[in-house]
Amino acid sequence: MPLPTPESRFRPAGTLRLAWNRPASNWNEATPLGNGRIGAMLFGGASGRYALNDATVWSGTPDGPADALRDVLAAGAGPERLARIRAALDEGRTREAEDLLMAFEGPYSQEFLPLADLDVRIEDAEAVTPARVLDLDDAAIAETLTIPGGTVRRRSWISAPARALIVEITADAPFTASVALRTPLHDAGSAVLPGLAGMTLDIVAPIDGAPLHETAVDPPLTYAGDDSEAFDAFAAVAVAWSTDGLAERTPEGVTLRGARRLLIALSTSSRAASWWAGKDEEGRTVSRETIRNHATEQADAAVHRGASTLFEEHVADRRRATPARFAIGGRREGTWDVDRDILHGPDLPLKATVIAEFGAYLLASCSRSGAPAANLQGIWNDELQPAWSSNYTININTEMNYWAAPVLGMDDAFEPLLGMVEKLARNGADVARGLYGARGWVGHHNSDLWGWALPVGGGHGAPSWAIWMMGGVWLTHSLWDAYEFGGDRELLRTRIWPLLRGAAEFGLDWLVPDAEGRLRTSPSTSPENSFFAPDGEGTAVGLTSASDLLLLQSLFERARTAIDVLQIDDDALRAELDEALAHLAPVIVRADGRIGEWSEDVVEVEPLHRHMTPLIGIHPLDVTTRERTPELFDAGIRLLDARGPGAMGWSWAWKIALRARMRDGETAASLLDEALTAFDGDAMRHGPVDGSEWGGLLPNLFSTHPPFQIDANLGFPASITELLVQSHGGVVRLLPALPSEWREGDVQGIRARTGLEVDLAWSDGRLSEAQLRNRLDEDRDVVIEHDGVRVSVTIAAGGVFDVPVGDLAGAVVGGSADAR
């Protein structure tokens, strides 16, 4: 079990702050706040607009996935049809196989929705430059405004301990403020509480929401109406305040006059949250009044604690939630002008520091224990039909959202992903059995709050993105990372292993032998690419993509390791895993020296494709390495070279991580420079996905394609860390791919496999100081590598090892070196 983390030698002297010189004029300029459950985009200025989200407010219903599976099976999908598809592929009848596959597609996963707007308008106020200052360490936004005769200071944060958005306003002269709530969803009624000390807003979400590409669905949002048997998609927003001003009711809400002090707390509650927590499985157990009262009580309790106490608790919580620190280039603390220093600044090390810290800030803001996992937009969305439904896209995007969590020691931020996979696996077990006659559980391309596990597409979705059976397998690798970096065997035993085992069972049943006895996957796609079939037309459906093989190989190896670590007595499963690993078909190397994305040397329709799925064995997995598979590793480099530079945020983040694993820090730094360029196009337009137009950073530092997705922002910290510390393959590598431009810096609190924590500093491009801490309650044998030299040491339980930077080769090899 992990021990308390020892104190680091590196501690920041101050906080890192980001400044914007004017209030936001649109959502893409607004500044994000969040506590995992409540999200807000703060516009700032006199209007005081907070665009609100609740992580549990989606379209859809709990029984939606089961109903869709029943309909798909009734339409003819199932093991018999799967056998026909496999026969067609074996005989080269690709178009017939594609047609047969359409029956396996359910409709679509559901949408993450905007919740409401809170306006805290201050009369006759004007913003002072800088208009908004976001403190990434304190997770709070400070504003200064002038009013006739004085100055107003507003500080906003969303507290996980208080479960509320907090707005603290103080002034040296009386001010007038108005408070109002509104929603783009169905407004079920609002009320001002007795004593004019607060207000509530009742909201009903739609029970079905069609994605933008399903243009035939009209209307795109469907509400339950008066159907008493339908899921009651009810949510409530409650606002409470304390002030020394006088309150009066207005048609829009409440106005507070003559105030010098105003403390506002906003909380939310929903039926979907009760369902997520397992308290309202049928959607009718908890009354609307109970839901509304829950929000009201939380807001009232927060206000009564007072601003000072609330802020102290919030800061302490956020420091625990984001323990790692970056200072690439030596500069971290201070206030950095976003437009001048980051979007248009020349200092790439500083920009790398900020984007790594900003990514960690965003992850802790959009993912905390007890809440749903971060979706395509994290926890922030203001569109009723967001891009790709702002759902869980599990062929890279959801996984990338959580790459940084184990590496940066963000255990609390990681927990929602585990909860999401547990819900997906419950539905995925029915899908695996019903569609494929397989054991275990399966996930495909998309999921949502309700645990959607079917393929999507409604019978007309392109197989390149709709038909993919490895989504659940990939998710289990994210869970394995949580164990490997954290070292928590009890977490592995109780929550991760059951999911790992179920995915492995599905993988074992999904494999079929070819004529030579090699195990392959059929049908197979490689997200979201396609190739030219013999008839000259593009197709995505083939046999045995490289990503299938690499994902399954790694899953089976990790399942065997888990059996050993947990001392599980299951000889039958172990034998199945051994047999499968011994007979897996090989990943091919094409005639041009590149990894083959499919089992045959075919020509890709998009040679510059954005997905790096054939390279998944290099990163985030570690089954393709220079030491273990040198030919395949070199073929991976050639494929990445051929794919070219960036195109959109998440693809950049993946390419940076891959270059880091390839020890190519210079190309990685160049890719990061591309990715951190200000985007000057139309942020609301959906750009082409073929690489012909590149994305970049929006004014609020969100990464965009366009449109905005959170995955790149959350992936950048993990990719940047790969340049500084790696720990795959049983070796902790220090500065394995340091770009030459990053001449100095230090990082602290970086996790390494298994159960280690690393601090290091470098100067003039050379390692100057490094310390490894063993977080486990048992001794750890560790192999450390730097600058081509390896040393083996034993670090005692809870102990610390100071790396002998000047003479690493002289350290005790295979012994218990200077570890304390």
Side-chain angles (χ1 to χ4, degrees), residues 179-190:
V179 183
L181 283 171
R182 62 183 184 276
T183 179
L185 302 178
H186 177 65
D187 185 336
S190 59

Side-chain angles (χ1 to χ4, degrees), residues 66-91:
D67 290 345
L69 174 60
R70 186 166 52 249
D71 292 343
V72 167
L73 294 176
E80 292 183 4
R81 194 180 189 95
L82 176 62
R84 293 169 58 196
I85 293 168
R86 286 172 167 167
L89 288 171
D90 287 343
E91 296 166 12

Side-chain angles (χ1 to χ4, degrees), residues 129-296:
T129 301
R132 292 166 287 151
V133 178
L134 168 63
D135 191 312
L136 293 179
D137 295 313
D138 290 351
I141 299 173
E143 304 172 79
T144 302
L145 304 99
T146 60
I147 56 173
T151 300
V152 174
R153 291 176 175 81
R154 180 166 57 202
R155 184 167 60 175
S156 308
W157 66 95
I158 304 185
S159 168
R163 294 174 291 180
L165 163 67
I166 308 297
V167 182
E168 178 193 17
I169 304 174
T170 58
D172 53 18
F175 64 89
T176 297
S178 59
V179 183
L181 283 171
R182 62 183 184 276
T183 179
L185 302 178
H186 177 65
D187 185 336
S190 59
V192 175
L193 300 179
L196 302 181
M199 58 196 306
T200 61
L201 175 64
D202 291 352
I203 298 169
V204 176
I207 59 168
D208 186 64
L212 285 169
H213 61 264
E214 294 290 354
T215 55
V217 180
D218 187 27
L221 298 178
T222 302
Y223 289 85
D226 297 326
D227 184 356
S228 61
E229 296 301 313
F231 177 75
D232 182 20
F234 179 76
V237 180
V239 179
W241 54 74
S242 66
T243 181
D244 57 356
L246 297 176
E248 63 182 54
R249 188 167 183 170
T250 66
E252 294 77 24
V254 171
T255 296
L256 305 163
R257 302 186 184 278
R260 291 175 182 260
R261 175 187 56 80
L262 173 61
L263 178 64
I264 296 174
L266 177 147
S267 191
T268 65
S269 186
S270 74
R271 185 173 310 284
S274 297
W275 172 84
W276 180 268
K279 299 176 181 177
D280 194 0
E281 292 291 338
E282 300 298 323
R284 289 181 290 273
T285 304
V286 180
S287 70
R288 288 189 174 189
E289 182 181 15
T290 299
I291 295 169
R292 185 188 309 113
N293 288 345
H294 182 60
T296 302

